[in-house]
Amino acid sequence: DFGIKIKKQNGSTFSKEQVERLSDALGKVWKHYGNLSKLAGEYNLKVSYADNCMQFARKDIGLFTPFHNAIGISFFNEAKQLTVAGINHLPDVTLAHEVAHWLDSQKGKESHNFFASDKYGSLENQIATKFKEEIKLREKSNKSATKIGKVNEVSVGEYCYRTCECFARAMEQYYAL
């Protein structure tokens, strides 16, 4: 038991294999970040499982929404696996990123911020700031590196450099190590 409620994005019933895939991903993240079952239960956290599609008609493979107390995660089969953003998508890594957003949000409530990483000087803010500095240094020093730019007229750079996003990406990398 992970202290969460699960649902499928399309409202269908879970197969045994799907429950096992989700449980495996949750188990890996809980093992790495610590047992979050009690906190998840108190928060009434839900995980929305999507099969072979992006989250809620978006181009995202994961999302956290505090307004619905929910994390959305996309699972893809072997045939579609390599087409997600051009890289091999690992659901547990995406889940680690979204759980980091959830934890950042929970901790932010203590300081009356939307995210703890928004509070200057907090540990979460320091982690995010260092991550952002490193990304910018690498982009600057590697002229062949792809710069974060504009996609569909939305500034991805602004989004990717938001403190909460840098914190979640740093925690995702910590998990992936």
Side-chain angles (χ1 to χ4, degrees):
D1 180 39
F2 298 102
I4 63 164
K5 295 177 181 176
I6 61 172
K7 68 177 229 44
K8 289 195 62 182
Q9 182 173 302
N10 66 6
S12 67
T13 305
F14 278 95
S15 71
K16 182 180 178 183
E17 178 188 347
Q18 291 166 335
V19 171
E20 288 172 357
R21 287 182 78 193
L22 182 55
S23 292
D24 180 56
L26 285 163
K28 289 176 180 177
V29 173
W30 262 227
K31 182 178 178 187
H32 200 80
Y33 287 167
N35 188 341
L36 302 170
S37 299
K38 184 176 183 217
L39 182 62
E42 291 169 357
Y43 182 72
N44 195 27
L45 183 64
K46 295 174 261 329
V47 173
S48 178
Y49 180 108
D51 251 341
N52 293 315
C53 65
M54 300 303 214
Q55 287 295 305
F56 305 103
R58 294 185 174 162
K59 293 183 179 180
D60 302 319
I61 55 178
L63 66 88
F64 165 67
T65 171
F67 306 108
H68 298 100
N69 298 357
I71 289 173
I73 182 92
S74 297
F75 285 79
F76 292 87
N77 63 27
E78 297 288 324
K80 195 166 181 175
Q81 188 79 358
L82 295 175
T83 64
V84 180
I87 59 169
N88 192 8
H89 162 60
L90 301 171
D92 59 310
V93 176
T94 301
L95 182 61
H97 177 97
E98 301 308 332
V99 166
H101 278 308
W102 168 55
L103 293 172
D104 193 17
S105 173
Q106 290 303 290
K107 185 80 186 287
K109 290 177 183 179
E110 295 174 13
S111 59
H112 306 288
N113 289 289
F114 199 74
F115 292 105
S117 59
D118 291 337
K119 184 177 182 190
Y120 181 77
S122 69
L123 177 61
E124 296 81 4
N125 180 268
Q126 292 174 45
I127 290 168
T129 300
K130 183 64 176 167
F131 185 87
K132 186 187 316 183
E133 288 169 0
E134 289 296 321
I135 293 296
K136 286 184 175 186
L137 278 174
R138 288 169 196 248
E139 284 182 346
K140 193 175 188 179
S141 68
N142 186 357
K143 293 180 181 170
S144 65
T146 303
K147 302 252 187 233
I148 296 174
K150 291 188 181 251
V151 176
N152 297 333
E153 300 301 317
V154 174
S155 178
V156 176
E158 289 177 19
Y159 171 78
C160 287
Y161 290 138
R162 287 178 57 212
T163 313
C164 64
E165 192 58 32
C166 286
F167 175 75
R169 292 189 323 169
M171 293 300 291
E172 172 188 338
Q173 293 301 309
Y174 168 72
Y175 170 82
L177 291 174

